[in-house]
Amino acid sequence: MSELAHLACGDVHLGTGPYLRCTGKGRKDRCTPLDAPTVVVLRQWLAERAGQPGDPVFCTRQGRLLSRDAVQARLDKYHVIAVDQCPSLADKNLSPHTLRHSTAMRLRLAGVDLAVIALWLGHDDIKSTQKYLHADLELKERALARTSPPDVPPGRYKPPDQLLAFPDSL
């Protein structure tokens, strides 16, 4: 299969400077770089499928593009499986859109500038990306730690076990 394959919503390029290009919400073109592990998995998948250039990367049994509902159905299927390994996922709402927001938050927590996240998400205006700044509790805690008196150790207060055990003894 060629290094430029048709994806359900656009193209994936796995050569130098690998990326995924698709049309998203509001018919905006989005171009997202791919990391090395993702490129390895996609190359293996394309080789396994033995599709032709122009074929969808992810398709139905009939070889057609996956619909949004089909993508959601697959997420739902693997969500159930993932709950076995990580029970805290049971109450989470999982959708392609939540995965997009999770990626944005991971970028923010890694210290990536909001302007870069806005580009990554395809936002026309950085104001659309401000919610990730407001949602970043760790960033707020670091700012608060800078205001602590010099003789107070940084971090959150952790009560001793006896204090935590007291309410249970009532």
Side-chain angles (χ1 to χ4, degrees):
M1 176 129 226
S2 76
E3 290 297 302
L4 187 63
H6 187 69
L7 191 72
C9 57
D11 294 306
V12 60
H13 173 73
L14 301 177
T16 304
Y19 63 86
L20 167 96
R21 184 180 308 279
C22 66
T23 303
K25 184 178 171 185
R27 297 182 190 217
K28 293 180 185 171
D29 286 332
R30 306 198 191 287
C31 186
T32 304
L34 299 172
D35 63 4
T38 303
V39 170
V40 169
V41 169
L42 281 172
R43 280 192 175 132
Q44 289 170 347
W45 171 245
L46 293 172
E48 180 181 319
R49 283 195 51 251
Q52 299 300 311
D55 286 352
V57 174
F58 304 106
C59 58
T60 66
R61 290 181 193 148
Q62 294 80 26
R64 292 186 296 245
L65 295 175
L66 289 175
S67 67
R68 289 181 183 192
D69 290 340
V71 171
Q72 184 63 54
R74 279 163 181 76
L75 274 176
D76 293 343
K77 174 184 174 180
Y78 291 105
H79 183 198
V80 170
I81 294 168
V83 167
D84 289 339
Q85 296 295 315
C86 186
S88 66
L89 289 173
D91 297 327
K92 305 290 185 199
N93 178 26
L94 185 60
S95 70
H97 203 68
T98 56
L99 294 176
R100 175 178 155 81
H101 286 293
S102 297
T103 300
M105 281 304 298
R106 295 291 301 213
L107 290 169
R108 183 67 209 131
L109 291 172
V112 175
D113 184 76
L114 280 179
V116 174
I117 296 171
L119 285 170
W120 186 286
L121 295 174
H123 290 168
D124 290 331
D125 188 342
I126 195 168
K127 290 178 187 172
S128 303
T129 316
Q130 291 295 329
K131 62 184 163 195
Y132 299 108
L133 183 59
H134 295 294
D136 189 349
L137 186 59
E138 189 177 312
L139 177 68
K140 294 174 186 176
E141 287 178 349
R142 286 194 309 260
L144 186 59
R146 291 180 183 171
T147 65
S148 297
D151 58 337
V152 176
R156 290 180 169 234
Y157 172 72
K158 293 183 182 163
D161 286 338
Q162 315 105 302
L163 187 60
L164 291 173
F166 175 73
D168 292 335
S169 70
L170 297 176

